[in-house]
Amino acid sequence: MTIGILGGGISGISLAAQLDENVEVLEKRARIGGLCGSIIDQGFTFDAAGPHIMFSKNKEVLNLMVATLGDNVHQRRRENKIWFKGQLVKYPFENDLASLPKEDNFACIYGYIVNPHADEAPASLAQWSYKTFGEGISDKYFIPYNRKIWNYDPAKLGLEFVSRIPKPPMEDVLKSSIGIPTEGYLHQLYFYYPVEGGYEAIVHAFAKKVRGRICTSSPVTEVKRSGKGWQVTTKNEERRTYNELVSTIPVHELLTVWPDAPKEAREAASRLRYNSLINVLLGLRGDGVPYTALYIPDPAIVFHRLSFPKYFSERNVPHGSWSVMAEITANEGDGIWETNDDQVLERVIVDLEKMGLVDRNDIAYRRVVRFQYGYPVYELDYRENVTVLRESIARTGLHLLGRFAQFDYINSDVCVERALALAKTLNDV
Ligand SMILES: Cc1cc2nc3c(=O)[nH]c(=O)nc-3n(C[C@H](O)[C@H](O)[C@H](O)COP(=O)(O)OP(=O)(O)OC[C@H]3O[C@@H](n4cnc5c(N)ncnc54)[C@H](O)[C@@H]3O)c2cc1C
């Protein structure tokens, strides 16, 4: 084999699909999919890391992903809401201010218009929010929600991902406050999703195009330079050598199996923060609610988002049932990560009952899943650290690709986009 790829998530598999038969993918788990993976159990399908939708600003990539799914794809309309003081507000928040209690609506629109931060140059996510939305929207929604999803103080988060957050036109915010409907965040309003098999179906669809080998249950235990190539050892002491090596596994994992990794990379990685996820999956009897997801800024509720797989595809639930996934961002040492699964489950069910969404007698399926690597956190010194990390590894000739390999908050479409670009380079070698 001339090319070795570590990791069988969408990055590794979509890259392999663009290469010839001399490629081998080594995946730790028994199943490919990674963060795009789905759990299919007792008739319920959940995208285990969190709800996944297919969309992209890159039309070529989106078309490729949709075409790769063949007949197994349909389009859905986003129906997201924000849970605010027991009421449902349309997402994004600033596009539905009229649904807020009147005092809150006034505070939001007043803060938006009379904004002492409007001319400030923001240095953190919190400051950006005050400048962009004003104090009302920031204090009531944006900052508490971001504190929950990032499990971190928004004043310590940088500006790296604000380009992903659309800035609402003033006209929309004014209209929304007096109740004239507007729609924000249009590029995600309609999204694609597999009819069958959950989001993981896209990874299997790419896998069908792979001409080389995909080895599952093959955790990499050592990576070493060997002449001009690379030697890779997997569990059971199996050794392989490749001319070119691509790692799509989390870079923190790569560094634990690569004793000769550059020292600067190790130091930079130790300064990069990431979040873990605890997701509670519940299958229920009945009809459920007609939403894609609910966002919950309320700090008294343990989860920051609920999603409803039936809305993504009817086939995600057995007939006469619905399901819900509750997402909790966690970090080792924060208490919630240390809470056992039964306690997390109970806490989530209590909160869902408080919200009036679930009756525990209807629960037919329950499961808790944990992901160590969920979100790369863009701290204030993120760019500096990630640059050292990437550049020092690039100098060794090892290629990094994907969300946690490159330590970049990217979605599956960008993984595919970068896989296409890397495949061009590798095909030219
Ligand atoms: C909550 C959440 C919601 C998301 N929503 C969306 C969305 O709506 N739309 C979207 O497009 N994207 C979404 N994403 C992003 C998407 O999941 C990722 O961008 C994508 O799955 C990353 O793929 P990857 O292949 O780069 O990495 P991964 O999926 O992490 O793959 C890495 C693989 O490496 C394997 N591995 C680890 N260690 C080893 C080892 N030692 N040896 C061998 N293999 C190993 C892992 O098992 C894994 O399969 C979301 C992500 C999260 C967490």
Side-chain angles (χ1 to χ4, degrees):
M1 293 291 171
T2 51
I3 301 174
I5 300 177
L6 314 183
I10 192 150
S11 296
I13 300 294
S14 65
L15 173 65
Q18 311 300 320
L19 302 172
D20 67 15
E21 61 284 359
N22 287 309
V23 63
E24 188 165 64
V25 179
L26 302 173
E27 165 56 43
K28 169 168 88 171
R29 295 178 61 228
R31 205 178 160 96
I32 57 171
L35 286 171
C36 288
S38 306
I39 286 179
I40 303 175
D41 197 5
Q42 296 176 35
F44 292 99
T45 300
F46 294 92
D47 296 330
H52 275 61
I53 60 174
M54 194 174 288
F55 67 97
S56 186
K57 287 185 174 155
N58 182 331
K59 292 294 155 253
E60 200 185 317
V61 166
L62 183 62
N63 290 343
L64 171 71
M65 292 173 85
V66 171
T68 302
L69 281 166
D71 293 339
N72 186 25
V73 66
H74 59 193
Q75 216 180 13
R76 313 293 284 171
R77 190 181 195 279
R78 181 190 70 207
E79 290 297 340
N80 286 347
K81 302 275 178 195
I82 295 150
W83 180 269
F84 184 78
K85 298 188 177 171
Q87 271 169 268
L88 292 178
V89 177
K90 202 168 75 177
Y91 174 90
F93 190 80
E94 62 276 11
N95 280 80
D96 195 16
L97 297 178
S99 293
L100 305 179
K102 279 201 164 55
E103 287 301 321
D104 292 309
N105 181 1
F106 172 74
C108 288
I109 200 64
Y110 183 78
Y112 182 74
I113 297 168
V114 185
N115 186 353
H117 310 283
D119 297 324
E120 289 172 1
S124 69
L125 186 65
Q127 288 173 4
W128 178 88
S129 177
Y130 285 123
K131 176 187 168 73
T132 309
F133 299 119
E135 287 175 2
I137 296 175
S138 297
D139 290 338
K140 289 176 194 299
Y141 167 65
F142 190 87
I143 290 185
Y145 182 72
N146 276 283
R147 185 174 286 120
K148 269 177 97 175
I149 187 167
W150 294 106
N151 202 19
Y152 206 51
D153 181 354
K156 293 186 189 162
L157 292 168
L159 298 172
E160 289 282 343
F161 81 98
V162 297
S163 59
R164 291 168 65 131
I165 309 169
K167 272 210 210 163
M170 177 178 259
E171 194 185 316
D172 275 18
V173 182
L174 298 179
K175 277 184 175 170
S176 108
S177 180
I178 54 173
I180 300 173
T182 57
E183 219 35 91
Y185 225 175
L186 285 178
H187 81 283
Q188 279 184 9
L189 188 56
Y190 289 91
F191 62 88
Y192 291 95
Y193 189 83
V195 178
E196 190 96 51
Y199 201 79
E200 187 181 276
I202 182 64
V203 184
H204 293 291
F206 276 118
K208 282 200 189 125
K209 298 184 163 191
V210 174
R211 285 171 285 164
R213 279 209 298 178
I214 300 174
C215 310
T216 49
S217 304
S218 301
V220 171
T221 53
E222 193 181 52
V223 168
K224 227 161 94 172
R225 254 292 179 205
S226 160
K228 285 191 172 165
W230 294 90
Q231 186 186 78
V232 174
T233 310
T234 49
K235 206 180 70 183
N236 309 329
E237 294 306 303
E238 275 182 58
R239 289 211 169 86
R240 288 129 153 129
T241 48
Y242 307 109
N243 298 347
E244 297 285 339
L245 189 63
V246 180
S247 175
T248 76
I249 71 177
V251 68
H252 292 84
E253 294 297 307
L254 173 69
L255 294 172
T256 65
V257 296
W258 185 15
D260 302 328
K263 195 167 145 263
E264 313 94 277
R266 236 177 255 295
E267 284 167 2
S270 72
R271 291 192 292 269
L272 289 168
R273 181 185 170 95
Y274 59 85
N275 283 337
S276 303
L277 308 170
I278 308 178
N279 293 340
V280 172
L281 325 179
L282 296 177
L284 299 112
R285 288 173 283 271
D287 291 333
V289 294
Y291 307 121
T292 2
L294 297 184
Y295 293 80
I296 299 122
D298 185 348
I301 290 178
V302 65
F303 39 82
H304 62 266
R305 179 164 64 176
L306 296 174
S307 55
F308 305 93
K310 185 177 178 177
Y311 196 82
F312 295 67
S313 173
E314 292 276 336
R315 309 253 186 108
N316 280 346
V317 293
H319 186 67
S321 307
W322 64 290
S323 61
V324 54
M325 172 191 279
E327 293 167 79
I328 303 166
T329 306
N331 291 90
E332 216 181 299
D334 67 1
I336 187 80
W337 184 255
E338 285 69 30
T339 308
N340 74 35
D341 287 357
D342 287 342
Q343 290 165 330
V344 173
L345 196 62
E346 182 55 24
R347 179 136 180 225
V348 165
I349 294 171
V350 167
D351 281 353
L352 285 167
E353 286 186 319
K354 240 191 313 189
M355 292 169 74
L357 289 174
V358 160
D359 176 344
R360 67 171 67 222
N361 297 315
D362 294 334
I363 300 174
Y365 178 84
R366 61 191 81 200
R367 181 158 170 178
V368 178
V369 289
R370 291 170 188 251
F371 288 83
Q372 186 180 352
Y373 300 98
Y375 293 97
V377 179
Y378 286 171
E379 286 187 275
L380 296 170
D381 55 359
Y382 161 82
R383 182 55 53 191
E384 195 184 312
N385 292 323
V386 86
T387 304
V388 172
L389 174 87
R390 290 181 197 155
E391 287 180 356
S392 59
I393 292 182
R395 282 195 290 274
T396 70
L398 192 150
H399 307 276
L400 298 178
L401 171 71
R403 179 163 167 126
F404 274 102
Q406 295 177 295
F407 212 84
D408 206 350
Y409 178 29
I410 51 173
N411 276 337
S412 65
D413 61 316
V414 178
C415 295
V416 173
E417 184 178 62
R418 293 183 185 175
L420 297 178
L422 180 55
K424 271 201 187 116
T425 314
L426 294 171
N427 281 327
D428 287 347
V429 173

